[in-house]
Amino acid sequence: MSYFRAENLSLHFGGLKAVDAVSFAVEKGEILSIIGPNGAGKSSIFNLISRIYRPTSGRIFFEDQDITEQPPYDIAKLGIARTFQNIELFENATVLSNLLVGRHRHSSTQLWQELLFLPSVRANEKLHRRRVEQVIEFLDLEPYRDKLISGLPYGVRKVIELARALCSEPKLILLDEPSSGLNVEETDDMSFWIRDMKSELGVTVLMVEHDMSLVNRVSDRVIALNYGRVLAMGSPSEVQQHPDVVAAYLGA
Amino acid sequence: MRFLFKTDYEDDIRLFPHSGYVVSYGLLFAVLLIAPYVLSSYLMSQLVFVCIYATVGVALLILTGFTGQASLGHAAFLAIGAYTAAYLQKYNVPFPVYFLAAGVLTGCIGALVGFPALRLQGIYLVIATISFAFIVEEILARWESVTNGNEGLRVKALSLLGVTVSRDSPTFYFLCLAVLVLTIVGTLNLLRSPTGRAFVAIRDSETAARSMGVNVALYKVKSFAISAAITGFAGVLFAHKLSFISPEMFTLQLSIEFIIVILIGGTFSLHGAVLGAIFIVMIDPFLTYLKDDMPGVIAGIAAAFGAGTVTAGNIQSKVAAFASLNGLKGAIYGVIIMLFVLFEPLGLYGRWLKIKLFFQLFPLYKRATFKRQKIYVKSERNR
């Protein structure tokens, strides 16, 4: 049984088939990239997994558990974290509190304990803070801890979003275009981090990406989509040479 | 300028970041403790109202400032707290019991209001809370067996541990101050723990909050319940301070006053609630003073510029007539809100931070420092 599996996943908006009977599997510890032209349904698949959309039909399994009907907030509790294509950070809060929200799925304190800030809450806070610090160190975010998000440049925000997802100690992380809007150097950093996430933190990565050099560098396998359908699946070079994929990109 | 070197995770958690805070808040606390033995009874009475308004302000900040859910129904929550106290008092229920009961009941009703509010945002939520306030006002006027209708209810002086505490006594002031301080400390505790961060997350991006495992619906209801409960506690004190309550005290105007408290104080910090409360309580005597003295002053100025006695008298009576127009107070409140939203969206506390920064950075202060926040507050807040 695969670690993560989508079976015949479909999302229809009226007559438009944004995602059409897509099936794929992610093995534990691999980096799988989804590529495809604009409007191919890549981000829609992510939104189906994190339950922002309800699938028209099809099922999603994670660790042999059917998660198709889980409410959105439970997806994160199961250990699936994500980033967004157009950064969704908590703008008017500091970097630290953004990252601490990432720890939300591990918080176990009750409201009345928090009102009194009992020693158990304090101990928990310190634990969360320590874990957040590990992520800060991992992604070199030390200069920004107490800065407000609204005052930070785009590239840094992108990394902070990744950091927030990592703070939840995910088993599976969904990266929606991690390199969009980043310059060459920042993209290089990102590719190293994605590989380190796999090797050091043991996170399984499912990624949507347009930058083919990044895809080639980090992916174990690639899926190519067009018009909501799977065109090809395999190693990065196999997929890039697949005649259907070439046709979809070049319009032959 | 002071640089903080953090050497422990504790440094991010503690309420007072450095000793300067301990000194200044210690001084403030000392002043508040000796206030009843120094200030006149009129100012003491105003101070009690500041405490009550600030408590409601903190409650509203939790809901509007930190969770991003606007409410124009807080006068209704205050009324529920006040009437619960007045009703239970008739059956000789002791103060601590009806105080808690008022908070719990108001909190439950707040949670009930929270449920329909889950699907509403921005202006629609405001309308929903206004209608809730009207419903409560109407119930208070009609449910005569419990509320005594429009004739209102008399509230006896509260008795604490067998001692009668008059509403003008220092003890009553200390009680209100204690409630305010406990509310502030509790709220600060909440804000530095997972629940408070979930509130802020919901305010800034519901989608992201959800994808991080925050049960948005649950936390919105929690926010409503906490906010309502605190307002209920304040309602008990309000009833005792006024010693008489009737439905027309808890109108839309009062809800708007609470909104003014946080808008003028500043919606991003608890300081705002206290500053806003001082502003709203002190503006009333100020307006009365203007109403009584302005006509004479203006006539005096007119006379000095060569107007005859008859003309000056004419001007005086016209200005006096204008000052006693009905609804003038509401109009002044409206103008104040507009001016603050346009020119000082971060409120009095934001202004204080700017003044502080000016002196800390002197002579390097840039006006642009706060510009980005200002643009954010103007454009995206309370969609």
Side-chain angles (χ1 to χ4, degrees):
Chain A
M1 268 295 161
S2 303
Y3 192 54
F4 175 91
R5 199 148 44 89
E7 279 180 7
N8 283 319
L9 208 55
S10 295
L11 174 67
H12 298 176
F13 297 111
L16 178 75
K17 294 174 178 173
V19 179
D20 192 14
V22 168
S23 299
F24 63 90
V26 187
E27 301 304 328
K28 191 172 170 126
E30 79 168 338
I31 301 178
L32 176 64
S33 299
I34 303 179
I35 60 168
N38 290 332
K42 307 178 296 291
S43 293
S44 298
I45 290 182
F46 273 23
N47 288 341
L48 285 174
I49 297 171
S50 53
R51 309 279 309 106
I52 292 174
Y53 297 144
R54 279 180 157 285
T56 314
S57 63
R59 313 222 61 83
I60 305 168
F61 296 91
F62 180 63
E63 294 187 317
D64 293 330
Q65 190 186 347
D66 188 342
I67 60 166
T68 326
E69 300 297 330
Q70 299 272 9
Y73 53 86
D74 265 3
I75 301 293
K77 296 223 164 96
L78 291 169
I80 302 180
R82 71 166 292 176
T83 64
F84 293 84
Q85 191 176 345
N86 308 311
I87 303 181
E88 290 273 352
L89 284 169
F90 310 121
E91 285 268 338
N92 235 16
T94 61
V95 171
L96 257 185
S97 57
N98 265 272
L99 300 186
L100 283 166
V101 175
R103 299 289 308 166
H104 190 85
R105 83 176 180 105
H106 299 284
S107 61
S108 53
T109 44
Q110 299 297 314
L111 186 61
W112 65 271
Q113 295 171 320
E114 291 174 359
L115 281 171
L116 301 173
F117 216 72
L118 295 182
S120 65
V121 180
R122 190 177 286 268
N124 260 312
E125 280 303 302
K126 280 192 187 167
L127 176 78
H128 292 327
R129 184 66 184 79
R130 193 171 308 129
R131 289 285 153 77
V132 165
E133 194 58 34
Q134 286 166 359
V135 175
I136 289 177
E137 211 177 317
F138 182 73
L139 296 176
D140 298 335
L141 285 172
E142 287 91 345
Y144 307 110
R145 284 187 201 104
D146 290 325
K147 296 268 189 331
L148 278 184
I149 299 291
S150 52
L152 291 177
Y154 191 87
V156 179
R157 293 188 194 202
K158 203 87 191 169
V159 181
I160 290 166
E161 218 193 8
L162 177 64
R164 188 180 63 187
L166 283 181
C167 283
S168 70
E169 295 179 46
K171 298 172 191 159
L172 172 68
I173 189 166
L174 313 176
L175 303 178
D176 201 345
E177 303 204 10
S179 80
S180 73
L182 299 187
N183 62 29
V184 179
E185 198 184 329
E186 289 165 335
T187 310
D188 271 352
D189 285 343
M190 188 60 85
S191 77
F192 291 128
W193 283 327
I194 293 174
R195 274 191 297 203
D196 285 353
M197 268 157 51
K198 174 190 163 180
S199 56
E200 286 178 29
L201 308 177
V203 183
T204 309
V205 181
L206 179 59
M207 167 172 106
V208 163
E209 184 50 67
H210 277 298
D211 184 338
M212 287 314 290
S213 73
L214 177 62
V215 170
N216 286 335
R217 264 183 290 170
V218 302
S219 318
D220 296 313
R221 283 194 305 140
V222 174
I223 296 176
L225 288 183
N226 197 18
Y227 296 116
R229 291 180 157 275
V230 177
L231 288 183
M233 210 182 288
S235 74
S237 57
E238 274 169 27
V239 170
Q240 271 171 38
Q241 277 146 28
H242 195 282
D244 289 347
V245 177
V246 176
Y249 273 94
L250 299 179
Chain B
M1 192 175 175
R2 187 195 297 256
F3 287 98
L4 280 182
F5 290 101
K6 295 183 181 173
T7 52
D8 188 355
Y9 294 145
E10 190 73 29
D11 291 333
D12 285 323
I13 296 176
R14 65 173 103 246
L15 289 178
F16 298 123
H18 59 75
S19 54
Y21 283 74
V22 182
V23 173
S24 48
Y25 281 102
L27 277 176
L28 176 66
F29 199 63
V31 168
L32 287 173
L33 283 187
I34 55 166
Y37 309 105
V38 181
L39 294 180
S40 68
S41 67
Y42 171 70
L43 278 178
M44 276 323 291
S45 180
Q46 293 297 86
L47 202 51
V48 167
F49 275 115
V50 167
C51 288
I52 295 173
Y53 270 68
T55 310
V56 181
V58 170
L60 196 55
L61 267 184
I62 294 175
L63 186 64
T64 308
F66 294 111
T67 322
Q69 310 298 306
S71 163
L72 263 178
H74 268 59
F77 293 130
L78 195 77
I80 293 168
Y83 270 91
T84 311
Y87 182 73
L88 290 179
Q89 206 190 28
K90 282 201 291 195
Y91 299 95
N92 293 322
V93 177
F95 171 75
V97 177
Y98 68 73
F99 184 72
L100 282 179
V104 170
L105 177 72
T106 320
C108 292
I109 292 174
L112 286 180
V113 176
F115 277 108
L118 291 179
R119 294 182 173 278
L120 301 172
Q121 251 184 0
I123 189 80
Y124 306 102
L125 182 58
V126 173
I127 293 170
T129 50
I130 290 181
S131 21
F132 163 72
F134 278 130
I135 292 169
V136 170
E137 210 186 314
E138 207 58 18
I139 291 175
L140 293 180
R142 309 260 167 127
W143 195 4
E144 294 189 349
S145 57
V146 173
T147 66
N148 205 19
N150 281 320
E151 281 167 35
L153 276 177
R154 198 150 285 287
V155 184
K156 281 175 276 181
L158 80 86
S159 77
L160 197 59
L161 307 169
V163 185
T164 307
V165 179
S166 120
R167 63 192 173 118
D168 297 318
S169 66
T171 319
F172 187 70
Y173 159 71
F174 286 131
L175 183 70
C176 294
L177 188 64
V179 170
L180 174 62
V181 170
L182 287 178
T183 306
I184 290 176
V185 171
T187 309
L188 286 176
N189 285 341
L190 205 61
L191 288 176
R192 53 179 174 160
S193 45
T195 306
R197 289 194 294 267
F199 286 167
V200 174
I202 290 171
R203 176 191 73 190
D204 284 356
S205 167
E206 282 188 26
T207 316
R210 216 173 266 132
S211 74
M212 286 293 111
V214 176
N215 185 345
V216 173
L218 177 71
Y219 278 93
K220 275 189 187 173
V221 170
K222 269 190 191 175
S223 181
F224 262 99
I226 296 168
S227 181
I230 295 172
T231 315
F233 289 134
V236 179
L237 300 176
F238 192 67
H240 276 298
K241 181 63 193 166
L242 293 177
S243 78
F244 171 78
I245 50 175
S246 74
E248 71 257 27
M249 288 171 175
F250 305 96
T251 52
L252 186 60
Q253 167 129 3
L254 190 63
S255 291
I256 293 175
E257 282 181 21
F258 293 146
I259 290 284
I260 295 180
V261 166
I262 63 167
L263 260 185
I264 285 180
T267 46
F268 64 101
S269 165
L270 295 189
H271 296 89
V274 179
L275 292 176
I278 295 172
F279 181 89
I280 202 86
V281 172
M282 287 312 178
I283 195 162
D284 229 20
F286 180 68
L287 288 181
T288 318
Y289 162 78
L290 281 187
K291 193 172 153 186
D292 293 344
D293 290 5
M294 264 325 254
V297 172
I298 290 177
I301 292 171
F305 278 95
T309 327
V310 182
T311 342
N314 222 341
I315 290 173
Q316 180 165 359
S317 62
K318 283 223 168 100
V319 174
F322 177 75
S324 50
L325 275 181
N326 255 339
L328 186 65
K329 195 170 146 191
I332 291 174
Y333 281 173
V335 170
I336 290 172
I337 292 185
M338 281 196 285
L339 291 180
F340 264 90
V341 169
L342 284 177
F343 299 111
E344 195 71 280
L346 294 175
L348 290 173
Y349 186 59
R351 173 51 55 189
W352 163 243
L353 285 184
K354 284 173 206 171
I355 293 170
K356 208 162 94 176
L357 196 71
F358 178 82
F359 285 107
Q360 279 175 344
L361 296 181
F362 190 81
L364 299 171
Y365 179 79
K366 297 182 295 183
R367 291 189 68 187
T369 313
F370 285 88
K371 208 161 188 184
R372 210 189 283 264
Q373 279 107 316
K374 196 168 163 183
I375 292 167
Y376 167 75
V377 175
K378 268 187 183 173
S379 61
E380 286 171 62
R381 201 58 171 281
N382 303 330
R383 280 162 282 152

